[in-house]
Amino acid sequence: MEQKPIIDIRDVIKTYRVGSVDVQALRGVDLVIMPGELCCIIGRSGSGKSTLLNMLAGLEPATSGQIIINNQHLERMTESELIVFRQKNVGFIFQSFNLMPYYTALENVAFPLSFRGVPNAQRLKRAKEALRVMGLSDHMRHKPSQMSGGQQQRVGIARALVTDPEIIFADEPTGNLDSNTSDEVMHAICDTMRANGKTLIMVTHDPNMAAFADKVINLLDGRITDIQCNARAKIG
């Protein structure tokens, strides 16, 4: 049976009103992503890449066009339906880590499961396993201030994965890290995504990070200018 795309967006336009002027952030974007693909959206500042990521994550509505994810039309959903959709289908990795400073690594990773009504013992068990996979078994009781930037981002990856989402969205996930740590974190992200058959959508301005992806989507002035497929991206 033919595999269906996990993401299918058609003629997506996003227009912002700035004072008395309309600014087009996205100008008719079409994109198809298959399950398990690791995709990188790359472009300079102002290209529309973060706007596109927000559209795909259901965080911003499109002005027009269709956004179909996991066979569901996001553009037809209410805000409450979008919240449920995100809880069930997606995880997020942020540039600034977004860890709660007074929580341990274990508590930070377990936290998203509380919204699903998972019992505390099971939350902790799943969080411990996610941290173990990220090589952080010795840091479970550490708070963010007691960890390096690379370790904090690994906690962020574990938190994104603990709910077992189909899609992970990563917004400049190595933007606050040095080049060596960036490579380590990207290997951790990509190896884990591939091992678990997850789809990754990453936004970056760094061409070096794009080398890790299966598919590189180049964005300029709100339009896709090129899509490159890597034979097999950097693997640890």
Side-chain angles (χ1 to χ4, degrees):
M1 190 168 65
E2 187 178 353
Q3 194 176 36
K4 289 185 177 181
I6 193 166
I7 294 175
D8 185 0
I9 68 173
R10 305 171 186 176
D11 196 23
V12 167
I13 293 171
K14 179 63 178 181
T15 304
Y16 294 102
R17 189 75 172 176
V18 180
S20 59
V21 179
D22 286 338
V23 177
Q24 273 202 314
L26 296 176
R27 304 167 181 259
V29 172
D30 296 291
L31 181 63
V32 171
I33 295 171
M34 302 305 292
E37 282 190 322
L38 308 189
C39 300
C40 176
I41 302 170
I42 192 165
R44 61 194 185 200
S45 180
S47 62
K49 60 186 187 297
S50 291
T51 299
L52 180 55
L53 189 77
N54 288 340
M55 304 278 111
L56 294 173
L59 296 171
E60 284 189 57
T63 302
S64 63
Q66 293 182 317
I67 302 174
I68 307 163
I69 299 182
N70 237 358
N71 297 317
Q72 300 179 69
H73 280 261
L74 268 61
E75 79 278 1
R76 298 175 185 171
M77 292 185 185
T78 65
E79 185 56 42
S80 58
E81 288 171 338
L82 284 168
I83 291 170
V84 172
F85 170 83
R86 286 192 293 269
Q87 287 178 349
K88 289 183 176 180
N89 292 277
V90 306
F92 295 93
I93 303 171
F94 303 96
Q95 175 180 343
S96 56
F97 314 141
N98 280 13
L99 302 179
M100 290 175 285
Y102 301 112
Y103 280 26
T104 64
L106 184 63
E107 290 166 338
N108 266 285
V109 174
F111 185 70
L113 294 170
S114 62
F115 296 107
R116 296 191 171 191
V118 178
N120 186 58
Q122 192 176 343
R123 289 204 299 268
L124 294 176
K125 181 180 178 181
R126 288 170 61 175
K128 284 178 182 177
E129 175 60 18
L131 287 166
R132 186 196 64 75
V133 168
M134 285 293 108
L136 293 171
S137 294
D138 294 336
H139 299 276
M140 292 190 186
R141 302 296 175 185
H142 291 178
K143 293 180 180 177
S145 62
Q146 298 171 303
M147 293 183 284
S148 68
Q151 289 166 343
Q152 289 183 64
Q153 190 57 293
R154 285 172 181 264
V155 174
I157 299 166
R159 181 185 55 192
L161 287 167
V162 76
T163 58
D164 196 30
E166 292 295 320
I167 306 168
I168 300 287
F169 292 104
D171 190 0
E172 298 280 6
T174 60
N176 287 339
L177 305 174
D178 61 62
S179 58
N180 287 335
T181 307
S182 293
D183 273 7
E184 290 175 8
V185 166
M186 282 308 303
H187 279 300
I189 292 174
C190 295
D191 292 348
T192 306
M193 297 300 126
R194 290 192 173 104
N196 290 277
K198 304 300 182 186
T199 304
L200 174 71
I201 313 296
M202 175 179 69
V203 159
T204 186
H205 66 277
D206 185 350
N208 294 321
M209 296 302 101
F212 287 88
D214 303 324
K215 181 181 286 184
V216 182
I217 300 144
N218 291 276
L219 209 61
L220 179 66
D221 296 332
R223 291 189 175 94
I224 293 175
T225 59
D226 185 45
I227 297 178
Q228 302 164 330
C229 293
N230 293 337
R232 194 40 144 182
K234 285 185 182 179
I235 300 176

